[in-house]
Amino acid sequence: MSVEDFFELFLLELKESPHLHAYYKFLNNKSSFYFRKAYFIERLKYIERHIGTDKLNIFDCGCGYGTTALFLALKGHNVFGTTLEFYEAALPKRISYWSQFGPAANFSWSHENFFDQQPPVQSVDVCIVQDTLHHLEPLDRAIELFYKTLKPGGKLIAVEENGSNLIQRAKLFKQRGNQRIIEIYDEKIGKTILLGNENIRSLAEWKKQFEQKHFSIRDVEYLRLFMPFQINKENYDQRIESEKKIYKKNPFLRNYFYFGLNFIAQRPAI
């Protein structure tokens, strides 16, 4: 199944799933539809490109509503996800819907704090952290756990916000000030846990943290430069191509005005 085909089926699912509207927002505002579609599609294509076609064991840390995990399960991979908060209640219905189109049951999950897991050592080919890495605290311990879980030569696929983006930094400072790490109580697991409070970082900061734990960073990609009013049905493809060209040529725009950041953290093969 292609990313584009998956997206069209996803929209059909959303039309019958009002509880998902507030989170995904595709059906809430027509003026921003293509802006949101571009971000969704390009991030999922990045993940697909780095997963490949061989059947893999994949750990989706912070899988949320399971959209990425379901896409990968339909492509034949074995995917296990962990989630907190309210997402888990929606997953059985989603499995039922996506089972019409392929082996959605390849996706399994648990409501679990990442730091409480005891995964088999070197058991995973790929770890995915999509909009999750900035929530994991303490970060150094999280990176150690990823290293322990991945097979030699395995990789972590990070799909993140760009912590250098000036607009996003100002917005988050207004929302939370410098309170970058908070505590929350999860009733289901019955304990208080640390949580990164939208603790986004720049590529340089991520690189420093991962390289200290023996990962190497590669295949960096920036995305989402244009604002919602600048992208529509007519210029959709052209805008995506322009974004890909601009970030490679313009370091200033890349560092301070692109909203999205993707990268691979590779564990050594030996």
Side-chain angles (χ1 to χ4, degrees):
M1 181 180 292
S2 70
V3 171
E4 289 82 1
D5 289 342
F6 180 80
F7 181 72
E8 293 303 318
L9 293 170
F10 175 54
L11 290 180
L12 294 177
E13 179 192 23
L14 287 182
K15 290 177 182 178
E16 298 182 359
S17 306
H19 58 288
L20 299 178
H21 289 188
Y23 186 84
Y24 287 104
K25 301 179 182 178
F26 286 108
L27 305 182
N28 295 358
N29 188 341
K30 291 183 179 180
S31 65
S32 64
F33 175 81
Y34 287 96
F35 169 77
R36 296 186 183 281
K37 176 183 177 180
Y39 201 46
F40 180 97
I41 292 254
E42 293 308 306
R43 294 171 109 201
L44 196 54
K45 282 184 175 180
Y46 181 86
I47 292 170
E48 178 187 45
R49 192 159 64 247
H50 288 284
I51 292 291
T53 57
D54 294 339
K55 186 175 180 178
L56 301 177
N57 291 322
I58 299 171
F59 169 48
D60 188 348
C61 181
C63 65
Y65 284 123
T67 299
T68 297
L70 285 164
F71 172 71
L72 296 174
L74 292 173
K75 296 179 80 68
H77 302 291
N78 293 318
V79 188
F80 175 73
T82 55
T83 187
L84 295 171
E85 300 183 302
F86 48 81
Y87 302 104
E88 185 182 12
L91 293 177
K93 184 177 180 181
R94 299 205 73 195
I95 293 286
S96 177
Y97 172 80
W98 287 102
S99 291
Q100 304 173 77
F101 311 109
N106 283 349
F107 167 43
S108 60
W109 68 90
S110 69
H111 185 111
E112 189 175 7
N113 181 22
F114 173 57
F115 295 95
D116 293 337
Q117 289 182 271
Q118 297 294 327
V121 174
Q122 299 182 9
S123 62
V124 172
D125 298 294
V126 175
C127 293
I128 295 174
V129 275
Q130 181 169 354
D131 294 323
T132 298
L133 199 53
H134 60 261
H135 289 311
L136 298 177
E137 296 293 344
L139 180 61
D140 60 343
R141 176 60 180 146
I143 296 174
E144 288 173 0
L145 288 173
F146 285 127
Y147 192 96
K148 179 180 178 181
T149 303
L150 283 166
K151 297 176 181 178
K155 58 190 173 185
L156 177 146
I157 303 176
V159 177
E160 267 291 327
E161 294 180 26
N162 176 18
S164 294
N165 180 281
L166 296 176
I167 299 170
Q168 192 67 350
R169 286 173 63 181
K171 175 185 172 184
L172 290 177
F173 184 79
K174 184 178 179 180
Q175 289 176 355
R176 53 138 165 83
N178 283 320
Q179 192 178 14
R180 289 176 169 268
I181 301 175
I182 58 175
E183 292 184 344
I184 64 167
Y185 181 77
D186 188 287
E187 293 185 357
K188 185 162 184 177
I189 62 176
K191 67 185 297 184
T192 298
I193 61 176
L194 286 180
L195 186 74
N197 188 16
E198 303 302 327
N199 195 10
I200 62 175
R201 295 170 171 88
S202 67
L203 175 64
E205 291 172 322
W206 290 126
K207 191 171 186 289
K208 178 182 177 181
Q209 293 287 337
F210 275 94
E211 288 182 347
Q212 286 176 346
K213 302 297 181 182
H214 311 295
F215 281 91
S216 58
I217 301 299
R218 62 179 181 84
D219 295 339
V220 177
E221 180 178 275
Y222 288 82
L223 61 166
R224 187 179 262 188
L225 171 65
F226 297 110
M227 296 297 182
F229 62 87
Q230 294 177 295
I231 183 167
N232 53 50
K233 183 178 181 179
E234 284 70 34
N235 67 15
Y236 177 83
D237 292 330
Q238 183 269 327
R239 289 300 195 203
I240 290 174
E241 289 305 309
S242 294
E243 285 187 343
K244 292 178 180 178
K245 292 177 181 177
I246 292 170
Y247 88 77
K248 295 176 182 178
K249 295 180 179 180
N250 192 318
F252 180 76
L253 290 178
R254 176 178 70 226
N255 292 331
Y256 300 116
F257 290 96
Y258 274 77
F259 281 82
L261 170 66
N262 303 331
F263 63 87
I264 301 298
Q266 187 93 41
R267 174 179 166 152
I270 299 176

